[in-house]
Amino acid sequence: PGSGRGARLVSLAAFEAQGAALPPPAQTRSLAQAFDAAVQLRPNVLNLSFGGPEDRLLAALLDEAEARGVCVVAAAGNGGPLGRPPFPASHHAVLGVTAVDQAMRSYPLATPGPQVAVAAVGVDVIAATPVGYRQVSGTSFAAAFVSGALLRSNACATLRSPAAMRTAVAAVALDLGAPGRDDIFGSGLFRLPGSLQAITPLVWDILTQSEQQHGAERVATLYLCHNQPVARTGYTPVSQRLLPLDEAWRRQLAGQV
């Protein structure tokens, strides 16, 4: 989908093609070697578009990735409505992503369950395959989209805090299906924390509540504090007085009218 344009991509081989088997099988040993190499590289985001049974060795390596500040995203599974939640999406240090179509309908083969954190478009998307660009569907492609979007996020690139990433993603997701979190869509449609799409509702709430409090004479001074992007992945704290309106800012706004 192009959500990680300009990123440095590192692909670690862990699966062995065997004839027409799809997906190709992988052993714990080869996966562990790839996991270990990834943890040593400390990427901003580690995408795991596969699933299988629980594995204690791989779980320990995921714990190490969490400790080293590597954000991990995984496919929530294509086993259908009766499928078992797959690993590694079921691991506590992983953001599990399910797939929806352009109409926000759940992918028919998606696996519901507690491993679903958020949903992203992953039905009939164009993606690179070993035989060229193809129209594909699945939670693996939804997970890759989310991974690319998160790689320059504040939590993954600057704070290096996977826990902060998971909290922020859940907080700004657009609720789908039943109100609140559910096992089909998780917290809802993925929206990048800090994006205009995610911030606009928050700003509206701030303005509405501050106006109510100001009208009731409960608030005399209000500051808006946020992180302003600098360079490619850095941020600098910014503070702006809203009540009463900062005089310098007022003059600047007046000059732009």
Side-chain angles (χ1 to χ4, degrees):
S3 62
R5 292 178 181 177
R8 177 172 174 258
L9 180 65
V10 177
S11 179
L12 299 169
F15 294 81
E16 300 176 4
Q18 295 183 2
L22 189 66
Q27 302 296 323
T28 294
R29 179 179 178 181
S30 58
L31 282 170
Q33 290 174 335
F35 271 44
D36 183 59
V39 171
Q40 297 298 326
L41 290 170
R42 293 188 73 235
N44 290 4
V45 178
L46 175 61
N47 181 76
L48 304 175
S49 286
F50 65 88
E54 295 285 337
D55 190 296
R56 287 186 296 175
L57 175 57
L58 300 182
L61 288 170
L62 286 173
D63 288 336
E64 182 63 21
E66 170 97 348
R68 296 197 180 199
V70 178
C71 293
V72 183
V73 178
N78 302 319
L82 300 180
R84 296 184 61 180
F87 175 89
S90 59
H91 191 273
H92 65 87
V94 174
L95 183 80
V97 182
T98 192
V100 295
D101 61 17
Q102 295 289 345
M104 301 299 107
R105 295 172 300 205
S106 176
Y107 176 49
L109 296 180
T111 303
Q115 83 285 4
V116 178
V118 287
V121 174
V123 178
D124 294 334
V125 297
I126 302 299
T129 73
V131 292
Y133 285 94
R134 293 289 186 273
Q135 190 176 63
V136 294
S137 299
T139 61
S140 290
F141 304 102
F145 176 83
V146 171
S147 293
L150 285 173
L151 67 91
R152 295 188 180 92
S153 66
N154 187 43
C156 297
T158 306
L159 299 177
R160 306 290 304 201
S161 174
M165 175 274 289
R166 294 191 297 271
T167 299
V169 166
V172 302
L174 177 64
D175 194 21
L176 297 175
R181 193 215 165 270
D182 60 73
D183 284 351
I184 297 176
F185 301 103
S187 294
L189 183 67
F190 170 80
R191 295 192 293 190
L192 182 64
S195 67
L196 180 61
Q197 186 182 39
I199 287 178
T200 299
L202 175 62
V203 172
W204 176 257
D205 287 343
I206 292 175
L207 291 176
T208 300
Q209 293 184 29
S210 63
E211 187 66 26
Q212 292 174 347
Q213 297 296 321
H214 184 59
E217 298 184 349
R218 296 174 182 170
V219 175
T221 305
L222 176 65
Y223 282 86
L224 177 63
C225 302
H226 61 97
N227 287 326
Q228 179 176 314
V230 294
R232 294 190 65 180
T233 59
Y235 292 83
T236 184
V238 175
S239 175
Q240 183 69 57
R241 193 179 71 199
L242 298 183
L243 292 175
L245 187 62
D246 180 85
E247 182 61 26
W249 195 27
R250 187 193 64 78
R251 289 197 300 267
Q252 181 181 358
L253 292 174
Q256 294 176 352
V257 175

